[in-house]
Amino acid sequence: MAQPRGQWSGKLGFILAAAGSAVGLGNLWKFPYITYDNQGGAFVLVYIGAVALVGLPIMIAEITIGRRTQRSPVGAFRILMAGRSGGWFWSGLGFLGVSAGFVILSYYTVVAGWTLRYTWMALSGQLRELAAQSGALDAYFGSYVANGGAQVLGTGIFMTLTIGAVYFGVRSGIERVAKVLMPVLLLILFSLAIYASTTAGFGEAMTFLFRPNFSELTSQSVLEALGHAFFTLSLGMGAIITYGSYMNKKCSVPVAALQIAALDTVIAILACVVMFSIIFSFDMEVSKSAGILFTTLPAVFFQLDGGGIIAAAFFILVAFAALTSTISLLEVVSSYAIDELAWSRRQAAMTMGAAIFVFGVLNALSLGANDWLTDLNLLGASHAGLFNSLDYLASNWMLPVGGLFIALFAGWMMSSKDTWAEVSQGHDGSAAWYPAWRFLIRFVAPVAVGAIIFSIIFLGMEYQ
Ligand code: TRP
């Protein structure tokens, strides 16, 4: 550990980097389609509840663990367990997080690569031509994902961009990218939202999103909202532990966590407002799956005035959001090598990035390009293909299990004195939140996450 440890330049740097991690494909692609599948209103409310009562407390726990130990997950748990028995188990939990980062990044970059392709297609006019012929967008998407060369290229370009940011370090790489991309992302999204409010479908979209109808709500939706709260806030694998380890002791942990969670939620909801306003304007069918982003939306964009610009702005928005998320995933894996194996940052970013890319190629080829990888059936017929199997493994197992144990660790293995010693630093405001947090992290979060895991095992539910 010869190199001085990186640190964010200040509060804003941390907030934007962590919000950059949180805001990603989960917000702009997954949340809209699961909201649609779950009939809107009531689901949105439950989701907000899940973020507030489970996501936010676990985010506070992760930041606390990271900032206290100044380490990424494996080292963080080792330090906190020093001199106590069972340390191997908790370091193992840290390792599960690092592995989850590896796995998620290996398929996330594939989808992220699509956003680059579609940005290019929107700018070059190809997307407009496809939108003009009925069925052409679907056909194009199908043949594009099955084109091995194109998939590997997109994945490779995206991984190169990701490595570039991690290579330059916490402040000159990660923070700098987030400080440019996040404001642009917000600007694009707000502009699209203002535009959406002038479309014919806006009223219907608002009713759909904000008028809850609780009779539509099922226990499956509640659990799906909870599962998604995890993924969208980047919780359960130590990404926020790692980012928290670069946080200055002068910043307030609960305030930062609240701002990140709020920003993530606002962006997810705004994405719904934009998409549903546009889609409802034309009475389009919404398909579950990647379709909403890459086939349904492009089709409607070109029915609008200035469709090409809207489409390009939209895909750039998604690409930016994805990039700040892939950076956080690579940072978790790299910081493990930096902290635990004493690698240099540059060596860690390039080696780990290259290794994940090589593995990612297998995912890139599992969408039709290679028969064996496409049909590979590791976890049951509904997850055929390596890509689907890994997404299922990570979102349904690694993150919930990781989140459960992080909550248990912060609530039960760390003393109240210990956590207070950390969170009181840099927080000048009222301390009234603290007992509430303790209660949520000790009881509410473990029970809720336990319910997710229970329902996956015993009720056969899935969250993806
Ligand atoms: N939160 C991101 C999204 O919504 C994805 C992501 C980035 C993530 N880092 C993570 C998910 C760490 C889980 C864990 O798309």
Side-chain angles (χ1 to χ4, degrees), residues 195-451:
Y195 179 83
S197 70
T198 66
T199 60
F202 180 69
E204 191 185 340
M206 296 306 271
T207 310
F208 179 73
L209 289 169
F210 300 114
R211 187 172 300 159
N213 176 355
F214 285 96
S215 63
E216 305 268 15
L217 203 67
T218 62
S219 59
Q220 165 92 28
S221 327
V222 175
L223 292 164
E224 205 163 327
L226 206 54
H228 184 66
F230 255 84
F231 186 85
T232 189
L233 294 172
S234 300
L235 299 174
M237 53 143 308
I240 302 297
I241 295 182
T242 307
Y243 274 21
S245 77
Y246 308 131
M247 187 192 191
N248 189 303
K249 299 266 184 192
K250 289 190 209 112
C251 300
S252 161
V253 174
V255 172
L258 185 65
Q259 289 170 338
I260 296 161
L263 202 57
D264 185 77
T265 308
V266 167
I267 290 176
I269 292 176
L270 272 185
C272 286
V273 170
V274 171
M275 291 190 197
F276 293 135
S277 300
I278 295 178
I279 290 170
F280 291 161
S281 299
F282 296 98
D283 251 347
M284 292 287 291
E285 280 282 307
V286 176
S287 50
K288 185 176 164 150
S289 82
I292 189 169
L293 210 59
F294 298 100
T295 58
T296 313
L297 272 176
V300 285
F301 284 149
F302 291 98
Q303 314 228 9
L304 302 165
D305 301 330
I309 292 176
I310 298 170
F314 189 81
F315 284 113
I316 290 171
L317 164 80
V318 183
F320 282 6
L323 182 59
T324 49
S325 296
T326 56
I327 289 171
S328 81
L329 289 159
L330 182 59
E331 178 62 18
V332 173
V333 183
S334 303
S335 70
Y336 164 76
I338 297 169
D339 287 352
E340 300 301 309
L341 312 174
W343 292 15
S344 75
R345 167 167 288 277
R346 293 175 176 196
Q347 182 189 4
M350 291 195 297
T351 312
M352 292 303 187
I356 297 169
F357 169 69
V358 169
F359 189 64
V361 166
L362 301 178
N363 286 311
L365 298 178
S366 77
L367 299 162
N370 176 289
D371 289 342
W372 186 73
L373 291 166
T374 305
D375 299 332
L376 192 70
N377 198 339
L378 296 172
L379 303 161
S382 53
H383 312 290
L386 187 65
F387 182 109
N388 293 326
S389 306
L390 292 180
D391 182 28
Y392 171 77
L393 190 70
S395 339
N396 288 267
W397 290 102
M398 297 174 115
L399 297 181
V401 169
L404 173 63
F405 282 103
I406 288 169
L408 291 173
F409 187 87
W412 300 90
M413 299 303 290
M414 291 176 83
S415 68
S416 181
K417 218 174 100 216
D418 234 21
T419 45
W420 175 250
E422 190 57 41
V423 297
S424 56
Q425 288 184 65
H427 182 75
D428 306 325
S430 146
W433 66 275
Y434 187 70
W437 174 75
R438 281 282 289 175
F439 178 74
L440 292 170
I441 202 75
R442 283 166 72 94
F443 302 104
V444 178
V447 168
V449 184

Side-chain angles (χ1 to χ4, degrees), residues 5 45 54 103 166 259 329 331 344 348 364 431:
R5 195 173 176 78
L45 268 187
V54 180
V103 168
V166 173
Q259 289 170 338
L329 289 159
E331 178 62 18
S344 75

Side-chain angles (χ1 to χ4, degrees), residues 149-212:
Q151 292 305 304
V152 173
L153 181 69
T155 308
I157 294 175
F158 216 89
M159 185 60 92
T160 307
L161 295 172
T162 307
I163 293 172
V166 173
Y167 180 97
F168 287 106
V170 174
R171 202 179 294 185
S172 1
I174 304 174
E175 179 178 324
R176 184 176 286 173
V177 172
K179 276 190 166 161
V180 176
L181 297 195
M182 290 305 286
V184 178
L185 181 151
L186 283 171
L187 189 74
I188 297 177
L189 189 59
F190 279 112
S191 314
L192 289 173
I194 291 171
Y195 179 83
S197 70
T198 66
T199 60
F202 180 69
E204 191 185 340
M206 296 306 271
T207 310
F208 179 73
L209 289 169
F210 300 114
R211 187 172 300 159

